[in-house]
Amino acid sequence: MRMRPVLIFDGDCGFCTTSVGVVQRLVRPRCEVVAWQHADLASLGVTAERARYEALWVTPTGRVYGGAQAVAKILLSAGGVWSVAGAILTLPPVRWAAHGVYRLVADHRGRLPGGTAACAVPGPTRYRGVGGEVLNATSGHSAGET
C-alpha cells in the first residue's frame, strides 16, 4: 500500500505540466506527482482514458478523485490557508461551480498559454453512417440524439 496520495496529470500537455509545476512550487501539496504516461495506472486503479480526461488524485487506500475535486484534495493536502480553499471547493454549490470551471479550462487547455495540440482532450469518436449522418462510435446513435 502506498503511504502518500498520488497526483496524476497529462505530461504531454504543456499547460498541464506548467500548472503542476506552479502548484508544486507555490502550494506544495503532500503527494507524489506523476504524469499518467509514466504511471502504473493499473496499480492505481485508473484507466488511461480517465487520466487523459482530467487530473486525478489517488488516495493511499485507492479512492480516486478527478477534476475539480482532485484540485480540492491538492489544496487540502497542503495545509494552512490552502486547506481552507480546498475545503470550500468541496461544498455545494461551490463544488458544482468548480466542476464547471474545471471542465471549461480542461476542454480548452490546448488554447491556453503553454497549450499545444497535444493538450487537446479527446472527444467522443464519431463516424459517418450509411446515410451520411454523424454517429457516435460508442452508442451508434446520431450525434444529435440522446
Side-chain angles (χ1 to χ4, degrees):
M1 184 163 112
R2 286 180 315 283
M3 300 302 289
R4 297 177 67 186
V6 178
L7 170 62
I8 302 170
F9 72 100
D10 186 348
D12 285 343
C13 173
F15 176 79
C16 299
T17 301
T18 300
S19 298
V20 167
V22 168
V23 166
Q24 285 182 296
R25 282 190 309 278
L26 297 179
V27 179
R28 298 181 182 260
R30 295 180 182 106
C31 64
E32 295 176 36
V33 178
V34 62
W36 74 261
Q37 294 87 345
H38 303 290
D40 182 357
L41 296 178
S43 74
L44 294 168
V46 173
T47 64
E49 180 179 43
R50 184 159 185 206
R52 278 191 295 271
Y53 181 71
E54 61 188 350
L56 301 169
W57 180 269
V58 183
T59 68
T61 61
R63 183 146 185 204
V64 179
Y65 296 88
Q69 290 308 291
V71 172
K73 294 298 183 181
I74 291 166
L75 296 171
L76 285 165
S77 78
V81 70
W82 296 114
S83 64
V84 174
I88 291 169
L89 281 177
T90 67
L91 302 173
V94 176
R95 179 177 64 221
W96 307 327
H99 172 75
V101 170
Y102 183 92
R103 285 288 9 120
L104 183 67
V105 170
D107 290 345
H108 297 92
R109 63 190 185 179
R111 299 179 189 149
L112 297 172
T116 65
C119 300
V121 175
T125 304
R126 297 175 190 249
Y127 60 93
R128 297 238 175 239
V130 176
E133 70 276 18
V134 177
L135 303 174
N136 291 323
T138 54
S139 68
H141 296 286
S142 293
E145 294 179 21
T146 54

